[in-house]
Amino acid sequence: MRSVLALALIFILLAVLGPVLAPYDPAAINIPNRLGPPSADWLLGTDALGRDILSRLLHGARWSLGLAFLISVIGLCIGTVVGLVAAQGGKLADWSVMRTTDTFLAFPELVAAVVIAGLLGAGTGTLILALSVTGWMRYARVVRGIGLALKSRGYVVQAKLAGMSPLVIAHRHYIPAMMPSLIVVWTGMFAHTILGISALGFLGFGVQPPTAEWGTMLLDARIHIRSTPLQMIWPGLAVAISVLAINLCGDALRDSLAARNS
Amino acid sequence: MTLLKNLGFAALLAFSAAMPASARENSLTISSGFLHFSTADVPDPRAGYNGWISNQTGVTETLMGIDYDLNLYPRLAESIEQSAPTTWRVTLREGLTFHDGAPVTAQAVIDSIAPISLEGHTGHNTRVAKLLDLAGMSADGARAVVFETNKPNAAFPWTLSDPGIAILGASSDEFPINATGPYVFREAVPEQLYRAEANADYRLGPPGLAEVRVVFAADPASAALAFEAGETDMVINYPETDFERIKGTGALGFSAPTARLYFYTVNAASGPMAHPLVRRAVSIAIDRQGIVDAVLAGVGGVPAGTVFPAGKGWAADIPVTFDMAKAEALLAEAGAVREGDRWMLDGAVLEIDIVTYSSRAALAPTAELTQAFLQAIGVKANVRVGEYGTGNDAIAAGDADMFLQAWVMTPQGDPGAVLETLLKSDGGSNSGRYTNAEMDKLLEDGRLTFDQDERARIYDKVQEIIASDAALIPVFHVSQVNVAKPGLTGYAVHPTETYWITHETRFSE
């Protein structure tokens, strides 16, 4: 648990402090040093335009992890609101909201995100929109499930009889009860979103040059896979390890909450 | 297209796993990143750009051809003569036959070319019909075709080399594309496969291969992996950075400049690039050799001083210029003022938006390097990578200042057609809205001048204006980098990219 948390903390710190720690400007082109191997000057080597791969990874962490954090929080907010409406509203609201959610779930998330990004054009805004639109449904289902279970609890019924508004009831009773489960779902979605951002970046729908982002770095490096495979390995490892760390964090949180409940 | 390409790549993986690399003895399997033909099972060579793959695989032939130095030569034609400003008489070679054995007659040639202008016909092609601009055709005996054009057109003989003007006979179940080349079309799967078999009765002798297969590769890296795995025998557009290594394994390497030019269309109607001096400053601030070295490993391109590949065909002798100090002087001359690390023009920060597309691997890094070179002289630049149409729309709407594209500048060997569409005031692809009365007149004169020396002088002048006015900004000519299994002979890179396989292409013993 501690080692997992430490690893996740390292990645969070990298996302926050990456630009400070980066030894070089990630966009600084240095053609004579292109495709350089790891060395004392360039610890992870240089890319096809002679840019320091370590610096690009560190700056890219802010984009890959930062955007994933932002998108997963947007999905959390949308999904929570949708789930609460389904749980607190009447049968019609529940039916219509959940069928809408099911409709969204019916599309493979990444394919839907690619279609949206393809229609609107590449860019950071499009990336956020595409992954947010396709990333809220799991929260909605969890929130609705917990909400329906809470709905008949005595203290919730009492609050309704006392004339408290749905917003106040949600704030005081529903959200605190849902928070542990939502955090566990969120960690999974956070990792999932990192993969989504990297996938869209690799497909050419990500952030725009010369900004460094892990998926875009993979895209740029793929042409050199035979001659300098390290170029692909470094951002690939960054994606894999960060996703693994966050997923393990989620598992540990889930186990911890389960132990507390039992 | 990025999505489609990646889906196509997935399909290729599934397809290639089930497909043997060489379905027949003495077969050549080529992988290519561009395998675009119509979705029909039988892609009519006259429609769209279907003619490229049929010409490349030696299935179809044209009346005229372009040689490896971009010179025109009679191919199915024996000769071409002009009898009046709008009248051309083409005499066919003796003894020509289609794949089904039927003779190639003057009437057959007319019947083959006529559908290009017929809307609704599978061979209809607006682009080629416009190039031909025919008023009529008539047969003069069995071997002579008389073409009448609507207007005098000095490019007409060159136009007859367009792969879309393939000479076809009546189709049948056995010969759905009944052409004249050394290979006979057998099957096509859009974005996946094009297959042809040897035509034993070919007029110049039996072809050296039993079968030619072209399979689609989503990108050069996947094509390289398939080649090393022995799934393909040849790669068109191999990754430049791996070229030396793969040659070290014994593979044959082919590299030669082509007429495919990477260039910037400029927004000449609005924004900073409307200033000719700013355009020139931007042009000479670009280190073209640096781009070729960085993006193409020094082997995939040649820095371009002009629109045509140096030393071939119509190229004027215009040197490649890279001079940052002069670029800054030109900016100052244009009225820009340096404030710290940036330039101000007309009261605003001089900022240039570059757009390009992702379907060619070298485009995005070329744009990124251009951005860096401009920033080195204090010009802020932004890069957006999207789809081709998005970039074209952006430059046409004035939402971008430079659009990086890659075009073959002389697909028919003639210098006029592409320059007219890109740079004439009413040019169909003049998305940057460049207007220059002198340029319009020269391009018009070029089309109407039949003396070849005089035409050369006209197009030299056109290229001088392009350079001095930075009407478009050439960056580099692509050197096509191809590799093949040891033993392949009778193959060379063609500068128009439209010729690959001849009857002489074969594997040596």
Side-chain angles (χ1 to χ4, degrees):
Chain A
M1 174 70 181
R2 283 183 184 171
S3 56
V4 169
L5 280 174
L7 191 57
L9 192 65
I10 288 172
F11 273 95
I12 291 167
L13 282 175
L14 285 181
V16 176
L17 301 175
V20 181
L21 299 172
Y24 298 100
D25 176 352
I29 288 169
N30 186 348
I31 293 171
N33 288 320
R34 63 187 297 272
L35 299 174
S39 65
D41 288 333
W42 295 278
L43 290 179
L44 302 184
T46 57
D47 71 4
L49 301 185
R51 298 173 294 199
D52 180 43
I53 291 177
L54 175 62
S55 301
R56 291 184 68 74
L57 276 182
L58 289 168
H59 278 263
R62 173 166 283 189
W63 284 96
S64 296
L65 302 180
L67 279 179
F69 179 84
L70 176 68
I71 291 165
S72 55
V73 167
I74 291 173
L76 173 69
C77 295
I78 296 172
T80 303
V81 170
V82 170
L84 282 172
V85 168
Q88 289 204 77
K91 278 188 179 174
L92 181 64
D94 184 22
W95 184 88
S96 54
V97 165
M98 293 320 293
R99 294 301 76 76
T100 306
T101 306
D102 290 342
T103 307
F104 272 82
L105 275 171
F107 292 100
E109 288 171 29
L110 187 59
V111 174
V114 166
V115 170
I116 293 169
L119 287 173
L120 298 180
T124 310
T126 304
L127 186 78
I128 294 170
L129 178 70
L131 290 174
S132 299
V133 166
T134 56
W136 55 270
M137 294 83 76
R138 291 183 199 182
Y139 302 107
R141 282 185 154 272
V142 169
V143 168
R144 183 225 178 217
I146 297 173
L148 287 178
L150 290 175
K151 201 173 179 179
S152 56
R153 294 279 172 88
Y155 57 91
V156 175
V157 175
Q158 288 284 349
K160 276 186 183 170
L161 290 173
M164 291 171 74
S165 73
L167 273 179
V168 174
I169 295 172
H171 178 67
R172 288 201 183 161
H173 299 299
Y174 282 66
I175 290 176
M178 292 165 179
M179 199 49 82
S181 300
L182 281 177
I183 289 173
V184 172
V185 176
W186 176 77
T187 52
M189 286 303 293
F190 184 26
H192 187 76
T193 309
I194 293 173
L195 285 177
I197 290 170
S198 301
L200 286 181
F202 184 71
L203 292 173
F205 295 114
V207 298
Q208 293 293 290
T211 307
E213 183 275 319
W214 294 346
T216 313
M217 288 176 72
L218 281 168
L219 171 68
D220 294 342
R222 80 193 192 289
I223 195 84
H224 307 287
I225 189 168
R226 299 294 295 150
S227 52
T228 47
L230 276 176
Q231 274 201 76
M232 281 199 91
I233 288 172
W234 297 128
L237 275 178
V239 172
I241 294 174
S242 60
V243 168
L244 183 67
I246 292 162
N247 274 330
L248 289 175
C249 260
D251 289 349
L253 269 172
R254 186 195 57 212
D255 295 345
S256 169
L257 289 169
R260 188 188 295 176
N261 288 340
S262 65
Chain B
M1 280 309 288
T2 306
L3 170 62
L4 291 177
K5 281 202 166 183
N6 284 290
L7 291 175
F9 177 46
L12 171 74
L13 287 177
F15 180 73
S16 59
M19 184 186 70
S22 297
R24 294 183 56 173
E25 186 81 10
N26 195 22
S27 173
L28 175 69
T29 301
I30 303 169
S31 77
S32 171
F34 291 89
L35 201 57
H36 300 311
F37 45 79
S38 69
T39 53
D41 291 339
V42 180
D44 191 313
R46 294 164 294 194
Y49 285 89
N50 296 351
W52 279 50
I53 190 71
S54 62
N55 200 68
Q56 286 163 334
T57 50
V59 170
T60 54
E61 294 178 306
T62 46
L63 292 172
M64 303 297 287
I66 305 296
D67 70 13
Y68 287 79
D69 290 316
L70 286 175
N71 298 314
L72 191 68
Y73 72 92
R75 200 175 178 197
L76 291 177
E78 186 178 80
S79 63
I80 182 165
E81 296 156 13
Q82 186 181 27
S83 53
T86 59
T87 306
W88 299 86
R89 179 188 170 90
V90 173
T91 304
L92 299 171
R93 291 180 187 277
E94 276 190 79
L96 295 175
T97 57
F98 290 111
H99 290 153
D100 65 358
V104 179
T105 62
Q107 190 55 50
V109 170
I110 293 169
D111 292 344
S112 175
I113 294 176
I116 291 171
S117 309
L118 286 180
E119 276 190 47
H121 193 281
T122 55
H124 175 60
N125 190 322
T126 309
R127 174 185 64 85
V128 175
K130 195 173 170 189
L131 283 173
L132 284 167
D133 193 26
L134 286 176
M137 291 180 284
S138 59
D140 183 5
R143 286 177 51 215
V145 184
V146 178
F147 293 94
E148 192 76 32
T149 58
N150 286 312
K151 284 183 286 188
N153 178 8
F156 186 77
W158 302 84
T159 301
L160 295 178
S161 74
D162 189 288
I165 310 175
I167 303 306
L168 305 172
S171 62
S172 61
D173 288 346
E174 192 181 354
F175 300 101
I177 296 176
N178 187 20
T180 59
Y183 290 89
V184 180
F185 169 80
R186 284 298 172 227
E187 63 177 314
V189 181
E191 299 281 357
Q192 287 187 32
L193 172 74
Y194 194 94
R195 192 173 75 82
E197 293 175 359
N199 168 19
D201 299 325
Y202 183 57
R203 63 189 163 93
L204 297 175
L209 300 162
E211 182 190 52
V212 175
R213 308 164 68 92
V214 185
V215 295
F216 174 70
D219 60 51
S222 58
L225 291 171
F227 178 75
E228 280 216 271
E231 292 171 10
T232 60
D233 306 311
M234 183 176 190
V235 178
I236 304 288
N237 291 320
Y238 192 84
E240 293 87 357
T241 49
D242 198 40
F243 190 53
E244 289 305 318
R245 186 197 67 80
I246 197 72
K247 283 198 297 181
T249 67
L252 292 175
F254 304 91
S255 176
T258 70
R260 183 173 293 282
L261 177 73
Y262 277 56
F263 67 97
Y264 284 102
T265 290
V266 295
N267 175 10
S270 62
M273 298 300 274
H275 295 251
L277 289 171
V278 174
R279 294 201 295 265
R280 276 180 59 200
V282 166
S283 177
I284 64 171
I286 297 172
D287 179 2
R288 291 162 171 82
Q289 186 63 53
I291 289 176
V292 167
D293 289 344
V295 179
L296 305 165
V299 298
V302 178
T306 185
V307 288
F308 305 123
K312 286 185 188 290
W314 302 89
D317 188 16
I318 294 175
V320 175
T321 307
F322 170 52
D323 189 335
M324 291 169 67
K326 190 176 174 189
E328 295 203 49
L330 284 170
L331 288 177
E333 197 181 332
V337 180
R338 182 103 195 201
E339 288 186 2
D341 60 353
R342 63 186 184 178
W343 286 90
M344 305 294 290
L345 182 68
D346 300 332
V349 175
L350 177 53
E351 189 169 349
I352 289 173
D353 288 324
I354 301 170
V355 288
T356 188
Y357 46 101
S358 54
S359 61
R360 289 183 183 274
L363 286 167
T366 298
E368 279 188 72
L369 280 167
T370 303
Q371 179 186 36
F373 293 135
L374 292 181
Q375 283 173 346
I377 60 165
V379 175
K380 184 171 171 20
N382 310 302
V383 173
R384 276 182 282 152
V385 182
E387 299 297 305
Y388 178 85
T390 312
N392 206 42
D393 291 347
I395 203 88
D399 295 334
D401 303 304
M402 295 165 67
F403 178 30
L404 180 62
Q405 312 185 58
W407 284 41
V408 175
M409 299 306 283
T410 54
Q412 300 91 26
D414 186 78
V418 170
L419 292 181
E420 284 171 32
T421 191
L422 285 171
L423 293 175
K424 263 184 101 173
S425 300
D426 57 354
S429 298
N430 184 4
S431 51
R433 291 157 293 159
Y434 176 77
T435 53
N436 181 327
E438 187 183 6
M439 176 73 84
D440 287 351
K441 183 170 186 320
L442 283 167
L443 290 172
E444 194 65 35
D445 289 349
R447 186 162 284 277
L448 299 177
T449 301
F450 296 96
D451 180 90
Q452 293 305 300
D453 293 336
E454 181 55 26
R455 282 194 92 205
R457 277 191 286 277
I458 289 171
Y459 288 108
D460 279 356
K461 180 66 180 165
V462 166
Q463 291 171 78
E464 283 166 20
I465 294 176
I466 290 172
S468 63
D469 204 27
L472 58 78
I473 300 175
V475 183
F476 60 83
H477 285 102
V478 171
S479 289
Q480 200 177 64
V481 173
N482 305 332
V483 300
K485 273 192 347 192
L488 188 77
T489 60
Y491 170 79
V493 174
H494 194 278
T496 65
E497 300 183 3
T498 53
Y499 298 78
W500 292 349
I501 305 300
T502 70
H503 72 291
E504 293 176 326
T505 309
R506 66 186 68 235
F507 283 108
S508 58
E509 291 298 322

